[in-house]
Amino acid sequence: MVRESILLALVALPTSTLSLHTSPGLPFVINTWGGPFTAATDAAYLALINSATVSALDAVEIGCATCERNQCDGTVGFGGSPDESCETTLDAMIMDGTTMKSGAVAGLRRVKHAIAVARAVLHHTRHSLLVGDLATQFAVENGFVEENLSTEESKGRCEEWRARNCQANYRMNVEPDPSTSCGPYKPLPLDQSALAWAVAQNPEPPSHDTISMVAIHSSGAMAAGTSTNGASFKVPGRVGDGPIVGSGSYVDGDVGGCGATGDGDIMMRFLPCYQAVENLRRGMSPTEAAEDAVRRMLRKYPDISSGVVVVNKKGDHGAAASGWTFTYAYRGGEMNATAVVTVPPLTAKDEL
Ligand code: ASP
């Protein structure tokens, strides 16, 4: 009988890593992805260690700016993820976990330093989000340089995509057929058969990555931020989850923080980082909090690619992913190198 109930409990439990990664101590920095993104972890952590005057907010800006300069994986900063017109635009957000004030830019054109412009929005306005050309104008007023964000590589990628008849792309319910044509497109009437056709014929280009980071100062003050050049071959004007508070990242210094990466068009509908931090507040561990946030998306979108990394205010951390094997990087306390954790994907099957 006892054995039976144990067995039932095991069957009822969805697959879960549920691993607890205890804090290495403060200060602490954690961010989405390993590989080239670990340079950002190191830069933020070393800034906190080496200077008494560097705040958690400074560390997040320094870390994300490192990835912008290094063009991490081609998915952060200039010269990556060209849109349909071959232009690179940037999304970024930064948030102070003490005041809950945030600053963000979306669709930022011709300015390389998106996280720094987001920070200028936080410090020099009462707003939370500036967009497009008018965000550029604000950046220039604040001393940032206007320059072309395209590179030979990003122009070449875009030309290759056009040579493949713009496949795959994000258009649907339009004519001419977006699975064979570059447009220009006109909308089709929105009936169910058109929608079914679009879903079947027009897969989304797989192109997602982002840096989202949370930093904890040795005083306990927390900050979070995100920087990305969004999705490759997006419709010009598309904004992803990166600059949306609670989606790309979120922090409440009384509780913890979260950073996310993945299919921003879907993720921003669920505010996974807000959800994860609220989960922490209700007593979940960081891994449980991340898994719950990912499962909420998986239930409706079984194919979604996502990665969510969560840290409580002590620096205990965990993560969850779907659609791909996700990695995250962290460094804290007296660690002499950044560590990378591999997170296998949950699957929609886990929801049954
Ligand atoms: N979430 C970003 C976006 O969709 C990109 C990514 O993280 O993959 O804009």
Side-chain angles (χ1 to χ4, degrees):
M1 186 67 177
V2 175
R3 270 199 196 149
E4 238 173 57
S5 52
I6 291 171
L7 190 64
L8 279 175
L10 286 174
V11 170
L13 271 179
T15 309
S16 165
T17 50
L18 287 187
S19 44
L20 176 67
H21 296 277
T22 48
S23 175
L26 304 185
F28 183 84
V29 173
I30 193 164
N31 57 267
T32 52
W33 302 112
F37 294 74
T38 58
T41 329
D42 286 333
Y45 170 83
L46 292 172
L48 284 170
I49 285 283
N50 290 334
S51 167
T53 59
V54 167
S55 66
L57 213 51
D58 293 331
V60 167
E61 180 183 342
I62 289 165
C64 292
T66 300
C67 247
E68 289 172 354
R69 270 195 313 278
N70 294 354
Q71 301 170 279
C72 284
D73 259 358
T75 61
V76 183
F78 68 101
S81 304
D83 66 16
E84 280 182 353
S85 337
C86 302
E87 182 177 358
T88 295
T89 55
L90 305 178
D91 293 344
M93 191 277 284
I94 191 162
M95 183 169 193
D96 181 334
T98 305
T99 61
M100 304 301 282
K101 192 166 178 358
S102 63
V105 286
L108 178 68
R109 307 179 77 184
R110 302 183 301 281
V111 176
K112 280 185 176 172
H113 308 292
I115 195 75
V117 183
R119 181 126 186 229
V121 173
L122 187 158
H123 279 307
H124 302 300
T125 79
R126 294 175 192 270
H127 300 308
S128 291
L129 174 62
L130 298 181
V131 303
D133 269 335
L134 297 173
T136 307
Q137 188 178 309
F138 169 81
V140 170
E141 285 165 14
N142 280 269
F144 292 88
V145 177
E146 206 173 334
E147 56 198 317
N148 190 340
L149 301 190
S150 295
T151 58
E152 287 313 311
E153 203 212 325
S154 67
K155 284 190 265 180
R157 273 191 71 204
C158 192
E159 287 314 317
E160 280 167 26
W161 178 73
R162 285 182 170 167
R164 293 195 310 270
N165 292 329
C166 305
Q167 299 311 305
N169 69 48
Y170 286 93
R171 301 280 179 164
M172 53 192 277
N173 299 318
V174 293
E175 61 180 3
D177 180 351
S179 71
T180 56
S181 162
C182 287
Y185 307 105
K186 285 195 309 202
L188 281 174
L190 288 180
D191 63 43
Q192 286 310 310
S193 55
L195 193 59
W197 171 84
V199 169
Q201 299 297 318
N202 199 20
E204 173 206 337
S207 65
H208 296 278
D209 265 327
T210 276
I211 184 160
S212 292
M213 174 176 276
V214 182
I216 315 178
H217 189 268
S218 46
S219 67
M222 296 186 76
T226 298
S227 183
T228 182
N229 50 34
S232 293
F233 315 122
K234 55 190 166 282
V235 177
R238 179 265 193 192
V239 169
D241 57 334
I244 307 302
V245 172
S247 196
S249 50
Y250 191 68
V251 61
D252 178 339
D254 294 338
V255 181
C258 166
T261 179
D263 182 348
D265 291 301
I266 294 176
M267 294 178 78
M268 67 198 294
R269 300 169 188 164
F270 291 84
L271 297 182
C273 275
Y274 176 77
Q275 183 66 52
V277 172
E278 290 309 303
N279 286 345
L280 283 183
R281 196 190 306 277
R282 290 176 183 177
M284 287 189 198
S285 71
T287 306
E288 289 168 331
E291 291 191 353
D292 173 72
V294 168
R295 286 200 171 99
R296 285 166 189 262
M297 300 187 287
L298 267 178
R299 278 181 203 124
K300 297 287 183 189
Y301 295 94
D303 298 325
I304 186 173
S305 298
S306 71
V308 174
V309 60
V310 179
V311 57
N312 67 21
K313 66 180 184 181
K314 292 186 294 181
D316 302 326
H317 51 99
S322 63
W324 56 17
T325 298
F326 171 57
T327 56
Y328 71 88
Y330 72 94
R331 188 165 173 185
E334 294 181 3
M335 288 170 69
N336 54 19
T338 285
V340 174
V341 178
T342 299
V343 185
L346 299 170
T347 65
K349 190 162 61 62
D350 297 329
E351 300 314 308
L352 298 176

